[in-house]
């Protein structure tokens, strides 16, 4: 396997791990907000939270996979680290921007 192949594999693993970690955190912490704002008893909070989580995962993993194609390729370890940090940084910025929006 080439350095570029390893870069893609690490990128995919990092993006999915970050998306799942942030999605789970938002789902767990956001339940109280949903219960308070939509129904005081929490009957709709769990289904609404599940639906939002599915949309969150689908959107962000999809964006990560689309961005996989863009950018430069890596021929050595230094370039791999540069490409990986740039692509992962873009995904983290997209995750943060969508959360705050």
């Amino acid at each position: 396997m080439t350095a570029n192949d390893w870069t893609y594999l690490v990128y995919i693993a990092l993006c999915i791990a970050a998306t799942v970690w942030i999605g789970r955190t938002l789902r767990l912490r956001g339940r109280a907000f949903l219960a308070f704002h939509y129904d005081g008893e929490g009957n709709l909070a769990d289904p609404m939270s599940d639906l939002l989580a599915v949309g969150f995962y689908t959107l962000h993993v999809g964006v990560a996979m689309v961005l996989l194609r863009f950018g430069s390729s890596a021929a050595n370890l230094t370039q791999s680290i540069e490409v990986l940090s740039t692509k992962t940084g873009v995904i983290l910025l997209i995750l943060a921007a969508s959360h705050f929006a």
Side-chain angles (χ1 to χ4, degrees), residues 6-64:
W6 284 108
T7 303
Y8 285 160
L9 291 174
V10 172
Y11 167 77
I12 291 168
L14 284 174
C15 289
I16 290 174
T19 301
V20 169
W21 175 61
I22 293 169
R24 286 186 57 156
T25 302
L26 291 173
R27 184 175 174 273
L28 293 174
R29 303 294 185 252
R31 189 200 177 285
F33 174 80
L34 290 171
F36 178 76
H37 285 289
Y38 290 105
D39 65 343
E41 300 170 17
N43 295 331
L44 292 176
D46 287 331
M48 182 69 115
S49 184
D50 290 341
L51 288 172
L52 289 171
V54 168
F56 180 85
Y57 292 138
T58 305
L59 173 70
H60 291 96
V61 170
V63 168

Side-chain angles (χ1 to χ4, degrees), residues 11 15 82-96:
Y11 167 77
C15 289
E82 291 171 353
V83 169
L84 186 60
S85 65
T86 301
K87 287 183 179 226
T88 306
V90 168
I91 291 299
L92 291 175
L93 290 171
I94 290 170
L95 284 165

